[in-house]
Amino acid sequence: MRIILSGPPGVGKGTQSHLLARTLKIPHISTGDLFRWHIANGSTLGKSVKSYIDAGELVPGVATERIVAERLLRDDAAAGFILDGFPRTYDQARVLDAILARRGDKVDHVIEFVLDNAELESRLLARGRSDDTEDVIRRRLTVYEKERETILGHYGPIVTELDASGSVGEIAERLLSTLGAQVLQAMGVHGARSGQAMV
Ligand code: AMP
C-alpha cells in the first residue's frame, strides 16, 4: 500500500506514520527526518539544507526528490511505503508519480490530517524541535497552506481528510478505519475486520 500522510506541521503525522508503518510492515519515509539525519551527521547535503529548515522554508531544487527517489528504490519499499512530508510541491508530486509509474504502481491513499491552528501551535511548542519557534512555526503553517492546495489539486479523488484531534491512540484508530479494514485484511494484517479498527 502506497500512502501519503499530509498535514500541517505538528499535526502528528510523524507519530502516526511510525505506528502505521509498524502495523503495515512497510517503511516510513520522512523527508524531514532524512534531512535532519544529514544535518546531524554533518553531510554536504545537511549543510546545504540547514538554513532552509531553520527558516521553515521548503528546501529548493531537486535535493528532496533525489533523496526520496533513492529511498524508494530500496527493496523494503517495493511492497509499499508511508510518505510523510513528501510531496509538498507539484513538481515533487509529478516526480513521485513518475517513479511509481515506471514500476506499474501509483499512490493509493492520501490522508490529510486536519487540526485547528491553536491546537497545532501548542503541540509544536510542546515538541520543541529547533525549527519549532513561534516565527518559524508561523512561516511553516503559511508554507503548508500552499502545499495543501497542491496536494488537493493533484491527488483530489484519493484524498481523505482525517480529524487529527484527540490522543495518539484515538488518531491511530481513526486512521486505520479510514484506510479501510478490508484493505488491511487483504494485506494480511492481523486483527483487521470489516468495521473494526485496530491498535
Ligand atoms: P517536516 O519534518 O516534514 O516538518 O520537515 C522539516 C523541514 O524539512 C521543512 O520545513 C523543510 O524545510 C524541509 N522539508 C521536508 N520535506 C520537504 C519537501 N518535501 N520539500 C522541501 N523541503 C522539505
Side-chain angles (χ1 to χ4, degrees):
M1 200 190 280
R2 288 155 290 271
I3 303 165
I4 295 173
L5 298 190
S6 174
V11 78
K13 301 186 299 283
T15 304
Q16 295 299 330
S17 298
H18 176 75
L19 293 173
L20 188 61
R22 257 195 350 210
T23 305
L24 299 182
K25 298 186 179 62
I26 51 178
H28 164 208
I29 302 173
S30 153
T31 41
D33 284 351
L34 290 169
F35 284 140
R36 282 184 287 276
W37 183 90
H38 278 277
I39 292 171
N41 285 278
S43 75
T44 311
L45 176 65
K47 288 186 182 114
S48 68
V49 301
K50 186 173 185 319
S51 62
Y52 298 102
I53 292 180
D54 286 347
E57 300 293 344
L58 293 185
V59 170
V62 293
T64 318
E65 293 154 13
R66 283 213 183 119
I67 55 168
V68 171
E70 204 178 285
R71 183 64 190 83
L72 289 178
L73 283 177
R74 289 212 229 141
D75 288 349
D76 67 343
F81 49 77
I82 297 158
L83 275 174
D84 158 15
F86 187 93
R88 277 179 157 143
T89 66
Y90 180 66
D91 284 351
Q92 291 178 359
R94 293 283 302 260
V95 167
L96 174 63
D97 292 349
I99 294 170
L100 296 180
R102 250 179 265 143
R103 55 196 210 200
D105 292 335
K106 60 177 176 43
V107 174
D108 298 308
H109 295 282
V110 179
I111 307 291
E112 216 225 318
F113 284 52
V114 180
L115 191 65
D116 66 66
N117 275 10
E119 178 71 11
L120 279 177
E121 290 192 26
S122 69
R123 281 193 196 176
L124 280 163
L125 290 170
R127 182 171 75 174
R129 219 166 66 190
S130 66
D131 56 347
D132 287 341
T133 59
E134 254 177 80
D135 284 357
V136 178
I137 288 171
R138 216 164 297 128
R139 181 63 198 143
R140 282 160 62 215
L141 286 171
T142 307
V143 168
Y144 170 67
E145 280 309 312
K146 232 197 218 166
E147 171 190 337
R148 183 170 177 273
E149 279 169 33
T150 304
I151 296 294
L152 286 176
H154 191 70
Y155 292 112
I158 56 164
V159 177
T160 311
E161 280 195 4
L162 183 90
D163 169 11
S165 64
S167 69
V168 169
E170 283 164 352
I171 304 167
E173 206 168 296
R174 229 176 271 141
L175 176 57
L176 282 175
S177 22
T178 299
L179 284 170
Q182 281 172 4
V183 184
L184 297 174
Q185 199 172 22
M187 294 182 69
V189 176
H190 181 69
R193 280 201 301 274
S194 180
Q196 183 191 331
M198 297 176 302
V199 171

